[in-house]
Amino acid sequence: MNFKITTIPGDGIGPDIVREGCRVLESIGKKFGHSFAFTEAKAGGCAIDATGEPLPKATLDACLAADAVLLGAVGGPKWDTLPGNLRPERALLGLRAGMKTFANLRPALMFPQLAAACPLKPEIVAQGLDILIVRELTGGIYFGDRGRSADGNSAWDTETYSRQEIERVVKIGFESAQKRQKRLCVVDKANILESSRLWREVSEAMKASYPDVALSYMYVDNAAMQLVRNPAQFDVIVTSNMFGDILSDEASQITGSIGMLASASLGESGPGLYEPIHGSAPDIAGKDLANPLATILTCAMMLRFSLGLSAEADAVEKAVSSVLDGGWRTGDIAGGAQDRAALGDKLVGTRKMGDLVVGALEAL
Ligand code: NAD
């Protein structure tokens, strides 16, 4: 099959990691008989430099015309002093809104080979860590009415959700749970927030359609605690925009390796937006130090969720796992100074890590 992929390398390490993701997709194409046509577009700081705006219309058009979009990362110190509406990060909000991707799927998965990087106690780590957080992405307080009083001494932001906005994202939560351990937890603050009470009402009404999924509810403050106390209790979490933002960062940190974590943003139809969860890492940009595995695993999510290629997605994940089994590490997953020294030539850079995954794919 032929697929059109729009790539947005962005800033910092973005171009390095997206290049490796594309090489892996090409290798999948060769192995399984598909072809990927890549169109590169600009967003973020590099787009501000080139056109004066973080998300040029041509970029959004190229995204909407694709089967899927692969984004590296945007932002960096060069653009930090710009006003909010002209900052590189504005491109992310514009892409999510323009592509109508209302659900952000973030797996927090710990590879057993990297268990030592997990900051939790070994007895907790031993139970495994494999959670999928589904975060509502285009509603809630980040998009609600906000403002300042005339004297500037008070300010407000508003959390608003409609029944339909809740329904479509909770549906993705239920469907994802059906493909996993069949447990869905709605995280909210229903003891205080009226909008949370609507989330519960809508979820309750939907549960009869998913009799194979066990539905539960948890307050967000408790969920933040349970994620570090007993993460194995969670399978799929579905939650609002702001709670999901915070909890998914917490969940990713407890895996111990930001350079390993993928994400997908999906709408009802149309292309999905795929990006690693980390930022543009300006401190290591252009030094061949970035871990490309988060982007490569993001490509696996793209194969599975947007292109309907599950066997191909499994192959990418298997290849990554076998490279880790072989003891190969980039700096961010290499452990402390002693572990690094012991790694010798198995401590590798961005390009070499990409080579290894491509080699492992060919050998499968
Ligand atoms: P960051 O994720 O870029 O970096 C945090 C730390 O993790 C740094 O030490 C970095 O070197 C390391 N790191 C991140 N990704 C890595 C990888 N693949 N391999 C090895 N190490 C990696 O977060 P930050 O420093 O808070 O932000 C830097 C810039 O990125 C800012 O301009 C921020 O606004 C932007 N940002 C963009 C996105 C996005 O595009 N989706 C997300 C978060 C931050």
Side-chain angles (χ1 to χ4, degrees):
M1 286 164 66
N2 302 324
F3 299 101
K4 287 184 288 181
I5 312 295
T6 292
T7 63
I8 303 180
D11 307 314
I13 61 172
D16 298 349
I17 54 175
V18 165
R19 183 189 62 222
E20 299 312 314
C22 293
R23 287 176 64 212
V24 166
L25 287 176
E26 271 165 358
S27 167
I28 281 287
K30 262 190 227 142
K31 194 175 177 72
F32 290 86
H34 308 300
S35 85
F36 296 95
F38 297 104
T39 302
E40 193 174 304
K42 280 191 179 4
C46 62
I48 294 171
D49 290 350
T51 70
E53 47 185 333
L55 182 64
K57 182 176 177 302
T59 296
L60 185 56
D61 288 346
C63 293
L64 293 171
D67 293 308
V69 177
L70 178 62
L71 171 78
V74 299
K78 181 176 174 193
W79 305 281
D80 274 352
T81 51
L82 290 172
N85 63 335
L86 280 180
R87 293 269 305 253
E89 294 78 3
R90 201 71 207 174
L92 301 174
L93 295 182
L95 277 170
R96 290 166 189 165
M99 294 174 69
K100 298 192 172 59
T101 53
F102 59 82
N104 181 231
L105 276 62
R106 272 210 202 178
L109 171 69
M110 190 185 62
F111 282 82
Q113 300 94 328
L114 302 178
C118 177
L120 301 181
K121 288 185 190 150
E123 60 269 28
I124 297 177
V125 178
Q127 293 168 21
L129 181 54
D130 181 2
I131 304 169
L132 178 67
I133 299 190
V134 180
R135 165 188 167 196
E136 201 289 325
L137 205 54
T138 54
I141 198 162
Y142 293 173
F143 289 87
D145 180 45
R146 67 174 58 100
R148 284 264 183 136
S149 59
D151 65 5
N153 289 331
S154 64
W156 65 91
D157 299 275
T158 321
E159 174 94 342
T160 310
Y161 272 110
S162 69
R163 211 171 265 283
Q164 179 247 354
E165 281 175 312
I166 300 169
E167 230 163 48
R168 63 187 186 179
V169 73
V170 171
K171 177 170 182 271
I172 291 190
F174 272 115
E175 288 172 355
S176 304
Q178 280 181 317
K179 293 181 201 136
R180 294 173 43 104
Q181 301 302 310
K182 302 187 172 38
R183 286 178 284 129
L184 176 66
C185 182
V186 176
V187 170
D188 59 31
K189 192 72 183 165
N191 47 346
I192 296 181
L193 301 178
E194 192 55 33
S195 53
S196 286
R197 288 194 272 273
L198 184 60
W199 273 73
R200 287 202 182 196
E201 201 179 301
V202 169
S203 307
E204 243 349 79
M206 292 171 74
K207 79 174 180 195
S209 307
Y210 304 92
D212 51 335
V213 175
L215 176 67
S216 62
Y217 302 95
M218 193 180 281
Y219 298 141
V220 64
D221 41 350
N222 187 26
M225 184 176 74
Q226 294 299 333
L227 272 173
V228 289
R229 210 183 65 83
N230 177 17
Q233 72 185 285
F234 296 109
D235 177 25
V236 179
I237 288 174
V238 64
T239 189
S240 63
N241 201 341
M242 183 167 66
F243 294 161
D245 191 7
I246 299 165
L247 290 182
S248 57
D249 261 26
E250 182 190 1
S252 62
Q253 288 303 315
I254 60 180
T255 67
S257 32
I258 194 172
M260 297 292 299
L261 295 168
S263 85
S265 301
L266 306 177
E268 236 139 1
S269 58
L273 174 64
Y274 294 83
E275 51 182 316
I277 70 148
H278 58 71
S280 60
D283 51 330
I284 56 167
K287 297 182 179 163
D288 194 42
L289 289 175
N291 183 351
L293 294 178
T295 308
I296 290 170
L297 292 165
T298 295
C299 291
M301 288 188 88
M302 175 195 287
L303 292 166
R304 183 172 290 122
F305 289 107
S306 279
L307 310 183
L309 303 176
S310 297
E312 289 81 344
D314 291 346
V316 172
E317 288 164 356
K318 230 183 254 170
V320 168
S321 198
S322 92
V323 169
L324 294 176
D325 279 340
W328 302 95
R329 301 286 186 268
T330 45
D332 59 307
I333 51 172
Q338 259 185 342
D339 304 310
R340 279 160 186 260
L343 275 172
D345 64 0
K346 295 218 157 171
L347 181 60
V348 297
T350 313
R351 172 64 89 162
K352 173 75 179 169
M353 190 52 109
D355 288 344
L356 288 162
V357 175
V358 167
L361 262 177
E362 285 166 358
L364 280 180

